[in-house]
Amino acid sequence: MAENKKYNKFGSLQLNADDIMKWNEELPENAFEPASSEEKENFIQDRKSVSYWKDAWRRLRKNTVAMVALGIIILLTIFAFVGPMIVPYTYKQQIRGSEALGLSHYSLEDKQAIHAYIEEHTGTGVLSPDEAVEQARAEAEASGKKLSRVEEARIRAQASVNADNTQAEEETITESQAAKELGLKKKPFGYSDKELERKAAGEKVFPHIFGTDDQGRDIMVRVMVGTRVSITVGICAALLVLVIGALYGSISGYCGGVVDTVMQRIVEIIYSIPEMLIILLLSATLKPALEQFQNSGNGIFQKLVTILGPNLISMFIAFGLLYWVTMSRIIRGQILQLKQQEYVTAARALGAKGGRIIRRHLLPNCIGQIVTTTFLQIPSAIFLESFLSFVGVGVSAPLTSLGSMCSEALSGLNTYPYRLFIPAVILSLMILSLNLFGDGLRDALDPRLKK
């Protein structure tokens, strides 16, 4: 018979005496003996302290998408900054005899033979109705006869039938089929005829992997330089946003009151200004002054202005005037929360001035938001530069960018579609990778998302 136990009522906090006695019976004999020194040392294990950045890197490494995006960013950076040092061509060098080379192409002699083969095998025995009638009339006159209208109608009908029957055959003979019949092969990686002769003579010739444009410029080098321009513009814009936005937002949030109100009204006014209009106006206004500055000498700054051009300089000015407002609002919101903390009150009690409190206590505690916002500003600046270059108000020739290369490729889209696809894919991949890594960086640097 099962042993009957008396349990307390539901919800009672009183312990059951039978359970307590059972616990005592199950305890080992040495349960109340003093712990040894070894047991005391192993009871609480000392762990190595982890800093904020090490902890953020640990969480970032667990984000597979962010790490893949980081790898793509590193590869594109190497492609943009190291690649032009390896390729012997420059982005503005015109290679005579290598105009309009494809990824792999036929030589000029091969193309002439292919076109002759196509014309020969698609045009034999196929006459239009008028040509068939004229030919029959000539043959009849040569024999002293004359064609009747019925015979001419019959010849016209027969010529129409022949043309319809051979139309499909004419369309099926492609350049590749003609080359196969002639035993011709494409040249690898866009070598020109002169470069193949030099290669056969033992000279080192670097292939045009992405082909060349209509002016004989290597497309791969131009893509590398265009990627470099996009990355440089994005980083410079992000640094301008970081310096101006962090300084403006921290002052506004720390001072508060009337100062904060006035500064935020200025931010709202800047928000309402379209950046495209500012860039176009600055470009038109600065162009005469910059051209005069270029002609004033041959120094470093004159060369830099010549390379960048008025449009790109106007873009940097617009970044400094307009693009920092989002960063300033984020920093202001963080400062408004942090300035109420006890360590800020203690610093004020010790006589620390506002500048020191912002520099030593407030901004270091906003480092996560600062880094994330700065990094996410890079793809936005890259997209703006590429769009302006695409519409013709970005970088100035002969300097190139991914946007200007896409614009130039539109005219030959049907013939050379890869000229558009290559820079467009690299631009899309770069912006996507920067956004994905920025999201992962935000998750890693946010202390509230710790696991």
Side-chain angles (χ1 to χ4, degrees):
M1 184 174 179
E3 183 179 357
N4 295 327
K5 292 184 179 181
K6 294 182 180 180
Y7 294 96
N8 296 319
K9 294 182 179 181
F10 178 76
S12 175
L13 299 179
Q14 184 178 358
L15 296 175
N16 193 302
D18 293 338
D19 293 337
I20 296 176
M21 295 302 294
K22 187 177 181 180
W23 296 343
N24 292 333
E25 293 175 0
E26 294 177 353
L27 288 174
E29 296 179 358
N30 59 349
F32 296 100
E33 293 181 1
S36 62
S37 58
E38 183 179 355
E39 291 176 341
K40 291 179 181 179
E41 291 177 358
N42 296 331
F43 182 71
I44 300 177
Q45 296 181 357
D46 293 335
R47 296 174 182 258
K48 187 178 180 180
S49 61
V50 179
S51 65
Y52 172 77
W53 294 107
K54 286 184 178 180
D55 184 56
W57 173 243
R58 176 185 61 82
R59 283 183 279 128
L60 182 62
R61 282 183 300 176
K62 293 181 179 179
N63 192 334
T64 306
V65 176
M67 295 307 296
V68 172
L70 177 61
I72 294 174
I73 293 171
I74 294 174
L75 291 177
L76 288 176
T77 304
I78 296 174
F79 174 78
F81 290 90
V82 180
M85 302 178 185
I86 300 175
V87 181
Y89 313 115
T90 62
Y91 67 93
K92 58 183 178 180
Q93 180 180 355
Q94 297 180 356
I95 307 168
R96 300 302 178 187
S98 301
E99 292 84 358
L101 296 180
L103 299 177
S104 59
H105 73 294
Y106 299 103
S107 66
L108 295 178
E109 294 80 3
D110 293 345
K111 284 187 177 181
Q112 293 175 358
I114 289 170
H115 293 161
Y117 179 87
I118 293 174
E119 291 177 0
E120 179 182 355
H121 288 76
T122 58
T124 303
V126 180
L127 299 176
S128 65
D130 294 336
E131 292 174 347
V133 170
E134 291 295 333
Q135 182 178 358
R137 284 176 180 174
E139 293 176 355
E141 290 177 358
S143 60
K145 296 181 181 180
K146 185 176 182 181
L147 293 178
S148 64
R149 294 184 178 180
V150 176
E151 290 175 338
E152 290 182 2
R154 187 182 297 113
I155 293 172
R156 287 181 185 274
Q158 185 63 38
S160 299
V161 172
N162 294 337
D164 293 339
N165 292 335
T166 57
Q167 184 177 5
E169 296 180 1
E170 293 179 5
E171 294 176 353
T172 56
I173 300 178
T174 61
E175 188 177 87
S176 300
Q177 292 175 344
K180 185 177 180 180
E181 293 294 333
L182 293 171
L184 303 176
K185 294 183 179 180
K186 290 185 176 182
K187 298 177 180 178
F189 300 123
Y191 284 110
S192 66
D193 296 336
K194 294 180 179 179
E195 289 169 338
L196 282 177
E197 293 175 0
R198 291 167 53 194
K199 187 178 180 181
E203 298 183 22
K204 292 184 178 180
V205 180
F206 198 88
H208 305 285
I209 297 178
F210 292 167
T212 59
D213 59 10
D214 295 333
Q215 300 180 16
R217 297 175 297 190
D218 188 82
I219 294 178
M220 186 175 70
V221 177
R222 291 179 64 80
V223 171
M224 290 176 179
V225 175
T227 307
R228 178 195 296 178
V229 170
S230 297
I231 294 175
T232 304
V233 169
I235 293 175
C236 293
L239 293 177
L240 285 173
V241 168
L242 170 64
V243 175
I244 301 175
L247 181 63
Y248 192 93
S250 59
I251 295 174
S252 176
Y254 181 78
C255 295
V258 178
V259 175
D260 181 46
T261 302
V262 173
M263 295 180 74
Q264 291 308 303
R265 298 297 81 77
I266 296 174
V267 168
E268 292 172 359
I269 293 172
I270 294 176
Y271 258 122
S272 64
I273 301 175
E275 64 270 10
M276 294 289 183
L277 179 61
I278 294 298
I279 292 174
L280 295 177
L281 291 176
L282 286 173
S283 177
T285 305
L286 294 176
K287 188 173 183 179
L290 292 176
E291 289 179 352
Q292 184 178 1
F293 179 73
Q294 294 174 20
N295 300 328
S296 62
N298 197 24
I300 298 177
F301 293 104
Q302 283 83 358
K303 293 181 179 179
L304 183 62
V305 170
T306 304
I307 294 174
L308 296 179
N311 295 331
L312 204 56
I313 294 175
S314 303
M315 201 179 304
F316 284 123
I317 296 175
F319 287 146
L321 292 176
L322 306 176
Y323 263 56
W324 51 267
V325 289
T326 302
M327 168 74 81
S328 69
R329 283 199 163 184
I330 293 174
I331 300 303
R332 171 183 173 271
Q334 293 295 318
I335 297 295
L336 289 175
Q337 296 178 3
L338 294 175
K339 74 175 185 179
Q340 306 297 333
Q341 300 295 325
E342 289 79 2
Y343 61 87
V344 178
T345 305
R348 286 175 181 166
L350 292 173
K353 295 183 179 180
R356 179 179 175 83
I357 293 175
I358 293 174
R359 186 176 66 255
R360 297 294 299 274
H361 301 286
L362 295 178
L363 285 180
N365 285 282
C366 301
I367 192 67
Q369 289 77 13
I370 291 175
V371 172
T372 303
T373 307
T374 303
F375 199 88
L376 289 175
Q377 189 64 47
I378 297 177
S380 177
I382 290 175
F383 180 80
L384 178 63
E385 181 274 326
S386 300
F387 173 74
L388 292 175
S389 298
F390 181 82
V391 298
V393 292
V395 296
S396 301
L399 188 63
T400 185
S401 76
L402 297 177
S404 61
M405 291 190 67
C406 291
S407 178
E408 294 171 359
L410 288 178
S411 58
L413 182 59
N414 295 330
T415 309
Y416 306 102
Y418 59 89
R419 295 185 187 177
L420 174 63
F421 294 153
I422 291 174
V425 168
I426 291 179
L427 178 62
S428 302
L429 189 63
M430 180 167 52
I431 293 178
L432 178 62
S433 301
L434 289 170
N435 281 320
L436 291 176
F437 183 71
D439 291 339
L441 197 63
R442 177 194 58 199
D443 297 339
L445 293 175
D446 194 345
R448 293 170 293 184
L449 299 178
K450 283 187 176 182
K451 296 182 180 179

